[in-house]
């Protein structure tokens, strides 16, 4: 279980390596990346390290003021960093559509899309679109964002000759979803809602999304890879809503990563040349790992895709 153990895997890296370690020597100049949820925790570290490696980073943030402060702090430590800030609330389909439209109108290329933003175990609530908040933020918003930007990524990959990479941050807790995996008929049902299982469900959806999108892009012959990952046990403000999470981090503190280590797998999958051509996989500890059996269910992935299309009005 590479997500817990600090031993080096086939990649030559372990869960103890940092984001800077796994991207050392990588030249990201000429690449453009979007990072959602970039104002704290592993999202902020991911944005910083990508910028450090020469990538033009678009910080897609709900709070523009906070993101601007983060941008300024990154530039203080790396004067050559190229960073732009754009407003995006992934829990709102309207905001996702507005962001994508604005991004496309700017004519920017897109080599890397990092779906990092998320919420963890909040009390029951519905998004502006009437979707359970965790499912809306962690999965549905990123599903729509990815679909809206796919043509831009395909065009970029074709023009520059480099593969595009879509990186989706999931969690080991994807294996602790509802019994059915995805409760399609009760997604927005407050009575049956469990904040913990709903979180697991949204993270299971992330992996299924990655696998189904990877399958579709491979069939199409598109030069884009899609992978999901578990960043590790990291105490960030993501877990602020959960008593369970506080206990979890306390019990498993021995395995806890710091933020530079927590962002490493994201940066490894996004930039490291060893991941070239790898798609539809699940990573942990900077190595390919094995997700739950439900996360490998191709029929469940297809059904979820149709659900995502319906929820986003893409049909």
């Amino acid at each position: 279980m590479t997500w817990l153990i600090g031993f080096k895997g086939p990649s030559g890296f372990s869960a103890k390596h940092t984001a800077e370690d796994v991207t050392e020597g990588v030249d990201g100049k000429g690449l453009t990346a979007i990072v959602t949820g970039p104002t704290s925790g592993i999202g902020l570290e991911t944005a910083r390290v990508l910028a450090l490696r020469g990538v033009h980073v678009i910080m897609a943030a709900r709070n523009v003021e906070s993101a601007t402060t983060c941008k300024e702090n990154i530039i203080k430590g790396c004067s050559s960093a190229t960073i732009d800030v754009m407003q995006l609330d992934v829990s709102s389909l309207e905001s996702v559509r507005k962001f994508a439209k604005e991004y496309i109108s700017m004519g920017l290329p897109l080599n890397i899309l990092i779906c990092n933003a998320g919420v963890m175990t909040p009390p029951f609530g519905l998004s502006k679109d009437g979707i359970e908040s965790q499912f809306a933020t962690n999965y549905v918003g990123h599903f729509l964002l990815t679909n809206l930007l796919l043509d831009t990524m395909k065009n970029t990959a074709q023009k520059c000759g480099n593969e595009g990479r879509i990186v989706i941050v999931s969690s080991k807790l994807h294996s602790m979803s509802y019994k059915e995996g995805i409760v399609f008929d009760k997604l927005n049902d407050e009575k049956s809602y469990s904040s913990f299982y709903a979180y697991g469900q949204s993270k299971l959806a992330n992996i299924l999304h990655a696998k189904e999108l990877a399958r579709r892009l491979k069939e199409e012959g598109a030069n884009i890879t899609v992978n999901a990952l578990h960043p590790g046990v990291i105490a960030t403000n993501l877990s602020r809503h959960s008593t369970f999470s506080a206990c979890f981090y306390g019990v498993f503190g021995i395995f806890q990563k710091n933020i530079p280590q927590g962002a490493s797998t994201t940066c490894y999958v996004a930039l490291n040349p060893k991941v070239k051509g790898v798609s539809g996989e699940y990573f942990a500890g900077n190595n390919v790992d094995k997700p739950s059996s439900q996360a490998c269910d191709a029929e469940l992935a297809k059904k979820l895709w149709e659900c995502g299309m319906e929820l986003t009005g893409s049909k």
Side-chain angles (χ1 to χ4, degrees):
M1 297 170 67
T2 56
W3 66 286
L4 287 180
I5 300 171
F7 299 131
K8 291 182 181 179
S11 68
F13 298 111
S14 74
K16 290 185 177 180
H17 283 95
T18 67
E20 288 195 24
D21 292 335
V22 301
T23 59
E24 186 175 359
V26 176
D27 184 0
K29 292 178 182 176
L31 301 179
T32 301
I34 291 174
V35 182
T36 69
T39 58
S40 65
I42 64 174
L44 175 56
E45 179 67 357
T46 296
R48 185 189 73 82
V49 172
L50 262 59
L52 181 67
R53 301 307 179 210
V55 178
H56 176 194
V57 176
I58 310 298
M59 301 180 78
R62 184 175 55 182
N63 187 324
V64 171
E65 184 178 350
S66 176
T68 300
T69 299
C70 291
K71 168 188 172 179
E72 293 170 351
N73 289 336
I74 292 173
I75 292 175
K76 285 179 183 178
C78 179
S79 59
S80 62
T82 304
I83 304 172
D84 286 304
V85 173
M86 293 179 65
Q87 203 281 331
L88 171 63
D89 178 357
V90 290
S91 73
S92 164
L93 299 182
E94 179 184 7
S95 178
V96 172
R97 291 191 181 95
K98 182 179 178 181
F99 172 88
K101 183 177 181 180
E102 182 180 351
Y103 190 88
I104 292 168
S105 70
M106 292 166 67
L108 289 171
L110 182 58
N111 305 91
I112 303 166
L113 174 60
I114 298 180
C115 301
N116 166 80
V119 293
M120 183 179 186
T121 62
F124 180 81
L126 298 176
S127 70
K128 295 178 182 178
D129 305 285
I131 305 169
E132 187 274 310
S133 62
Q134 294 192 83
F135 203 69
T137 305
N138 299 348
Y139 165 65
V140 179
H142 285 120
F143 176 85
L144 178 60
L145 178 67
T146 301
N147 282 353
L148 292 175
L149 295 175
L150 265 182
D151 283 344
T152 300
M153 293 196 74
K154 290 174 185 176
N155 292 336
T156 301
Q158 189 172 29
K159 288 179 181 177
C160 72
N162 294 327
E163 70 178 15
R165 296 189 183 185
I166 298 172
V167 183
I168 303 175
V169 179
S170 179
S171 169
K172 185 68 177 178
L173 294 179
H174 77 272
S175 62
M176 302 186 75
S177 179
Y178 296 102
K179 183 179 179 181
E180 306 94 323
I182 309 293
V183 288
F184 294 103
D185 58 339
K186 294 183 178 179
L187 284 175
N188 305 320
D189 181 24
E190 183 174 4
K191 291 182 179 179
S192 60
Y193 177 75
S194 159
S195 62
F196 180 66
Y197 289 142
Y199 177 73
Q201 173 180 247
S202 69
K203 291 301 171 179
L204 172 61
N206 288 149
I207 302 176
L208 292 169
H209 177 205
K211 288 186 174 294
E212 177 63 9
L213 180 55
R215 183 190 69 80
R216 288 169 176 262
L217 290 172
K218 184 177 181 180
E219 281 189 356
E220 187 181 331
N223 190 20
I224 300 173
T225 62
V226 192
N227 293 290
L229 65 94
H230 167 59
V233 180
I234 312 154
T236 68
N237 63 5
L238 180 66
S239 60
R240 62 189 179 277
H241 295 293
S242 176
T243 301
F244 172 85
S245 297
C247 296
F248 180 82
Y249 289 122
V251 173
F252 292 97
I254 188 174
F255 301 120
Q256 191 168 303
K257 291 183 178 183
N258 58 37
I259 288 174
Q261 291 170 331
S264 65
T265 305
T266 303
C267 291
Y268 174 73
V269 177
L271 275 188
N272 197 288
K274 292 181 181 180
V275 189
K276 184 178 181 180
V278 178
S279 192
E281 297 290 352
Y282 168 73
F283 287 76
N286 297 301
N287 287 276
V288 173
D289 204 359
K290 187 176 180 179
S292 70
S293 58
Q294 285 182 325
C296 299
D297 187 331
E299 291 306 312
L300 184 61
K302 291 176 183 178
K303 186 175 181 180
L304 176 67
W305 184 277
E306 293 304 316
C307 175
M309 294 291 282
E310 184 177 341
L311 289 173
T312 57
S314 300
K315 284 189 174 181

